[in-house]
Amino acid sequence: MFPIRDHNPSLSRPFVVYGLIALNLLIFFVQLPYMADDRALAGFWGDRALYPVAVTEYGDYTGILTSMFLHAGWMHIIGNMLFLWVFGDNLEDQMGHLGFLAFYLAAGAAAALAHVAAAPASVVPTVGASGAIAGVMGGYILMFPRARVDVAVIIIIFIRVFTMRAWIVLGLWFALQVFAGVGTPVEGGGVAYWAHAGGFLAGLVLAVPLWLRRGGPAFWDRTHGKPPHPPVDYAASRIPVVRRRR
């Protein structure tokens, strides 16, 4: 199950979202020749990946920033960029370009620190933008809890698309990260669940000042918990139909 779009695309150009996607893809394509050999890939990552032990034992914080622009494979980067595409534009519209960029980097750093706190002695390299994008999701669930999100569900060989409220989609996603984090040893490789959970909570907290400036609960009342743009209905033909508010 994964989100493919929301029903309130931003009316402004999310230039930072575009730039982040382009930068991540560019770095990934530069990395591609090294991916056939684990040693070559480790050499390419070098100190750019996040090694928790480097932070706790040697005070090397470089990987906290650089690791969020590295990815371990095609599904890794495609999934991350899809989530950023779906949820990033409306937050950038509310925060402004520079504000959203600062928010994204801060959420990514908080996610990295959550991972370090969960596995302080780990020597396994950690890469990916998912912690920062989890922060975007945390901000989104606070600002637009009732936004409609289309979710694709793969059932064997069939794909069905369901429309769900953002608070359900993102709430389930967060619960899954916590559940998996509790049941997965943090010292080994694999998915950094606590980075995801930490990034999500950081994004939610970092978005609180903006939510309060917009009026807090009154903002939800004005917008019905959705992005303040005309909604789009996706018909069976998949041609978007703009619905005007009355």
Side-chain angles (χ1 to χ4, degrees):
M1 183 179 79
F2 53 91
I4 57 174
R5 62 195 173 201
D6 65 7
H7 285 241
N8 295 81
S10 173
L11 298 182
S12 62
R13 295 285 186 185
F15 291 114
V16 173
V17 170
Y18 293 164
L20 288 170
I21 292 174
L23 179 58
N24 277 280
L25 288 173
L26 175 62
I27 294 172
F28 183 75
F29 285 126
V30 171
Q31 173 188 298
L32 271 179
Y34 300 90
M35 294 185 64
D37 185 323
D38 288 344
R39 294 181 65 182
L41 182 59
F44 176 82
W45 284 348
D47 294 336
R48 303 179 189 95
L50 173 65
Y51 297 87
V53 70
V55 176
T56 57
E57 296 293 333
Y58 305 107
D60 183 357
Y61 296 91
T62 306
I64 288 176
L65 176 64
T66 55
S67 64
M68 69 179 80
F69 296 97
L70 302 171
H71 289 84
W74 281 105
M75 294 305 296
H76 193 198
I77 192 168
I78 290 172
N80 278 347
M81 296 305 102
L82 174 62
F83 274 65
L84 179 57
W85 175 264
V86 171
F87 297 111
D89 61 335
N90 283 299
L91 271 188
E92 183 174 344
D93 182 65
Q94 291 293 310
M95 295 179 173
H97 303 308
L98 292 179
F100 177 75
L101 178 60
F103 169 87
Y104 179 92
L105 295 175
L113 291 173
H115 178 65
V116 171
S122 175
V123 297
V124 177
T126 302
V127 297
S130 50
I133 295 166
V136 172
M137 295 159 66
Y140 193 101
I141 199 174
L142 175 66
M143 297 297 293
F144 317 118
R146 290 184 54 78
R148 293 190 300 160
V149 178
D150 283 349
V151 177
V153 178
I154 301 175
I155 306 172
I156 308 177
I157 61 173
F158 301 100
I159 299 178
R160 294 291 304 273
V161 176
F162 300 92
T163 300
M164 304 171 68
R165 297 295 182 185
W167 71 268
I168 298 175
V169 176
L170 299 179
L172 286 174
W173 182 89
F174 175 73
L176 177 62
Q177 306 312 302
V178 174
F179 179 79
V182 170
T184 304
V186 295
E187 293 80 10
V191 179
Y193 293 110
W194 292 116
H196 296 175
F200 186 95
L201 291 176
L204 194 156
V205 170
L206 288 169
V208 167
L210 172 65
W211 179 67
L212 292 175
R213 287 199 302 273
R214 293 288 187 269
F219 176 70
W220 288 340
D221 292 338
R222 292 195 308 272
T223 63
H224 307 288
K226 305 174 185 177
H229 313 300
V232 172
D233 283 334
Y234 293 96
S237 64
R238 302 190 182 280
I239 299 175
V241 178
V242 178
R243 199 175 55 195
R244 297 185 179 277
R245 286 181 177 166
R246 295 179 180 176

